[in-house]
């Protein structure tokens, strides 16, 4: 009798913004049985800790500026692991369909005749908005939500003036270190200098920092650790302060981002909420 041919499959999977509790149930189930995991640099250590010891795990992430593994090499690794009959996970930060190179990976897999499936994840914008309690489309202030990238590596450049609007909430992925440049582009798009801005670094992770500022002051922000996300729009205005009894009841122990601190000596009139 012929040996049955084991069919390999690739899961293009979102790891969410970092807190393992934000993985989908589907993602956890597949990670438990995957034989090969190729992950991005952004995937948090707490997520990688969930992968069984017997799984072959490889970091194929590209840090800005470093050569590392090419996109074509990633395609070949995915294809050959699947052809060997393995269950393969291509694990990406946030949601796999946003600001990654998943389109190219899907094309390469299709061309090679490899079966694949997309497992969604919580995109970092949603993790950051939840952590900072930002109602992204509060109908009083925003009628649209724009996800945009400040980093154009091989992608069509965003025409900022076309997508910037006072009644939009703008979420800028990959802001990079030059907030002055971003502030200039958003102002040129018609936003007022008083428009509230939030920078969220390491959203949902233990090192999370949330910095509150305005478009006028944004230019002075620097040295914030990556990964960071910028949310700009009226919806990012501070909420009225919590009453003392609400503060106590909404606080969970052991979660640093639950505690809100207002630092009066923060630079550039910005306010850091830890
Ligand atoms: N697919 C990812 C985005 C990849 S692009 C997603 O859906 O979130 C990489 C950018 O995502 C980073 O430069 C940063 O802007 C943002 N990002 C990813 N994880 C983040 C996190 N935990 N906190 C803040 N920003 C994050």
């Amino acid at each position: 009798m012929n040996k049955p041919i084991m069919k390999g499959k690739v899961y293009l999977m979102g790891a969410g913004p970092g807190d393992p509790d934000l993985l989908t149930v589907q993602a956890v189930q597949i990670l438990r049985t995957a034989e090969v995991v190729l992950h991005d640099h952004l995937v948090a250590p707490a997520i990688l800790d969930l992968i069984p010891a017997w799984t072959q795990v490889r970091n194929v992430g590209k840090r800005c500026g470093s050569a590392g593994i090419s996109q074509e090499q990633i395609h070949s690794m995915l294809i050959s692991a699947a052809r060997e009959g393995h269950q393969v996970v291509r694990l990406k930060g946030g949601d796999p369909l946003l600001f990654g190179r998943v389109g190219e990976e899907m094309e390469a897999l299709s061309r090679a005749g490899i079966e694949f499936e997309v497992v969604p994840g919580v995109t970092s914008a949603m993790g950051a908005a939840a952590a900072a309690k930002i109602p992204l489309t509060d109908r009083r202030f925003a009628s649209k939500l724009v996800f945009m990238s400040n980093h154009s590596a091989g992608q069509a450049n965003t025409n900022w003036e076309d997508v910037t609007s006072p009644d939009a909430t703008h979420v800028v992925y990959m802001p990079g270190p030059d907030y002055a440049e971003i502030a200039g582009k958003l102002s040129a798009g018609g936003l007022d200098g008083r428009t509230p801005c939030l920078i969220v670094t390491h959203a949902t992770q233990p090192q999370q920092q949330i910095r509150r500022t305005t478009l006028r002051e944004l230019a002075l922000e620097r040295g914030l650790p990556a990964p960071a996300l910028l949310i700009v729009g009226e919806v990012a205005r501070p909420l009225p302060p919590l009453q003392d009894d609400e503060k106590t009841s909404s606080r969970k122990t052991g979660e640093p981002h639950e505690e809100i601190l207002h630092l009066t000596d923060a630079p550039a009139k910005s306010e850091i909420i830890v």
Side-chain angles (χ1 to χ4, degrees):
M1 217 166 74
N2 283 341
K3 257 174 102 185
I5 300 169
M6 287 289 289
K7 247 182 111 201
K9 181 168 174 180
V10 174
Y11 295 90
L12 302 164
M13 181 184 288
D19 180 348
D21 287 353
L22 297 178
L23 275 169
T24 63
V25 174
Q26 191 187 20
V28 173
Q29 280 167 352
I30 295 168
L31 277 179
R32 280 202 189 119
T33 56
E35 293 157 300
V36 178
V37 175
L38 302 183
H39 69 88
D40 273 354
H41 175 67
L42 263 184
V43 176
I47 306 272
L48 298 175
D49 286 348
L50 301 176
I51 302 171
W54 50 265
T55 308
Q56 233 188 82
V57 181
R58 178 138 187 211
N59 180 351
V60 294
K62 294 175 279 289
R63 258 176 175 281
C64 253
S66 83
I69 298 171
S70 73
Q71 190 60 38
E72 289 65 34
Q73 282 172 306
I74 295 174
H75 297 168
S76 318
M77 284 186 225
L78 291 172
I79 292 167
S80 52
R83 283 198 175 135
E84 283 163 21
H86 294 305
Q87 300 296 296
V88 185
V89 171
R90 174 73 180 100
L91 190 59
K92 292 165 176 278
D95 183 88
L97 303 181
L98 284 173
F99 300 121
R101 299 184 67 174
V102 77
E104 290 148 71
E105 289 169 15
M106 286 179 177
E107 276 178 30
L109 293 170
S110 291
R111 251 187 249 115
I114 306 287
E115 192 189 344
F116 67 89
E117 192 177 317
V118 179
V119 182
V122 173
T123 185
S124 48
M126 308 321 286
K133 302 190 171 80
I134 302 298
L136 289 167
T137 58
D138 187 322
R139 63 179 184 164
R140 294 167 299 170
F141 310 112
S143 65
K144 42 189 181 262
L145 175 60
V146 186
F147 286 179
M148 53 216 277
S149 155
N150 186 47
H151 181 71
S152 57
Q155 286 192 315
N157 262 322
T158 308
N159 187 346
W160 287 59
E161 287 182 30
D162 286 351
V163 291
T164 306
S165 141
D167 73 338
T169 301
H170 315 79
V171 181
V172 184
Y173 287 73
M174 294 176 265
D178 194 350
Y179 288 97
E181 190 200 339
I182 298 179
K185 291 193 275 196
L186 290 170
S187 302
L191 296 195
D192 189 273
R194 286 163 298 185
T195 309
C197 301
L198 273 186
I199 302 166
V200 186
T201 70
H202 286 106
T204 81
Q205 298 177 18
Q207 323 87 302
Q208 174 179 285
Q209 275 188 44
I210 304 173
R211 193 179 286 250
R212 185 186 293 288
T213 185
T214 60
L215 190 56
R216 189 173 296 125
E217 307 289 343
L218 183 64
L220 304 172
E221 295 292 345
R222 51 181 60 89
L224 291 163
L229 202 89
L230 173 66
I231 302 179
V232 181
E234 285 304 322
V235 297
R237 57 176 45 211
L239 290 171
L242 285 183
Q243 299 300 312
D244 275 348
D245 52 340
E246 287 174 346
K247 266 189 202 161
T248 329
S249 64
S250 71
R251 191 180 295 156
K252 283 197 249 166
T253 47
E255 292 189 15
H257 52 268
E258 287 293 323
E259 186 114 357
I260 295 181
L261 293 179
H262 298 282
L263 301 186
T264 47
D265 59 347
K269 289 198 196 133
S270 69
E271 179 189 358
I272 301 173
I273 314 169
V274 177

